[in-house]
Amino acid sequence: MLSNLDKYLSLQETSLKLRTFRQEVLGSNLANSDTPGYKAADFDFSKALANALQGTSERLPIVRSDDRHLDLAVKNPFDLRVQYRTEVQPSIDGNTVDSDQEMAQFSDNGLRYQATLTFMNNKIRNLMNALTSR
């Protein structure tokens, strides 16, 4: 029963986790908009979602060649390959963050996060209605 429920909500759950991580990446870009040499980063959400649902990864695995090496605590939840954005208007100090573009992406991602929450709530509500109806 619980595995069926997991399957029923897996798309929304995975989407919310990816949207949260993308919000962190975009927020980092905005926070570093005045940092000399900072390169704006992002990832392809559609490809990341497809890979996450299939259980595949875009990155090469990290290999520990010695037992004394530390395990890296990866903040990246789906082992995504975060890439640098293409420069739109590079600055003299090497910073590639376009604040207007980043704000637009940040807002768009936030709206899509809210939409995913709404879809998930509707699925849960429909499930509850099915369970309680006579």
Side-chain angles (χ1 to χ4, degrees), residues 21-22 25-26 28-29 32 35-44 58-59 76 80-88 90 94-98 101-102 105:
F21 181 65
R22 185 162 188 242
V25 171
L26 296 172
S28 179
N29 290 345
N32 288 290
T35 303
Y38 183 82
K39 307 294 183 202
D42 200 359
F43 63 90
D44 183 355
E58 295 180 338
R59 293 180 58 172
N76 189 336
L80 299 172
R81 184 173 46 168
V82 178
Q83 299 175 329
Y84 295 122
R85 280 191 194 266
T86 305
E87 297 179 22
V88 176
N95 188 305
T96 62
V97 177
D98 180 1
Q101 181 183 8
E102 295 300 327
Q105 292 291 326

Side-chain angles (χ1 to χ4, degrees), residues 48-59:
L49 182 61
N51 286 341
L53 291 174
Q54 294 172 359
T56 59
S57 173
E58 295 180 338
R59 293 180 58 172

Side-chain angles (χ1 to χ4, degrees), residues 2-125:
L2 288 178
S3 64
N4 290 336
L5 185 60
D6 285 343
K7 288 177 189 175
Y8 185 68
L9 298 173
S10 68
L11 175 64
Q12 282 75 26
E13 175 192 6
T14 305
S15 181
L16 286 174
K17 287 178 182 177
L18 284 170
R19 291 264 173 229
T20 300
F21 181 65
R22 185 162 188 242
Q23 204 73 348
E24 290 175 12
V25 171
L26 296 172
S28 179
N29 290 345
L30 285 168
N32 288 290
S33 64
D34 293 329
T35 303
Y38 183 82
K39 307 294 183 202
D42 200 359
F43 63 90
D44 183 355
F45 182 84
S46 300
K47 185 189 281 187
L49 182 61
N51 286 341
L53 291 174
Q54 294 172 359
T56 59
S57 173
E58 295 180 338
R59 293 180 58 172
L60 294 173
I62 297 175
V63 178
R64 290 175 46 202
S65 59
D66 191 313
D67 288 338
R68 294 174 291 176
H69 291 165
L70 299 175
D71 284 329
L72 296 177
V74 179
K75 184 180 178 185
N76 189 336
F78 294 100
D79 207 21
L80 299 172
R81 184 173 46 168
V82 178
Q83 299 175 329
Y84 295 122
R85 280 191 194 266
T86 305
E87 297 179 22
V88 176
Q89 185 176 5
S91 62
I92 294 172
D93 65 1
N95 188 305
T96 62
V97 177
D98 180 1
S99 296
D100 293 333
Q101 181 183 8
E102 295 300 327
M103 284 299 295
Q105 292 291 326
F106 192 83
S107 297
D108 179 65
N109 191 63
L111 286 172
R112 291 174 188 267
Y113 182 91
Q114 290 295 327
T116 304
L117 276 178
T118 301
F119 292 142
M120 188 175 225
N121 284 335
N122 287 340
K123 278 191 146 191
I124 292 170
R125 189 175 303 118

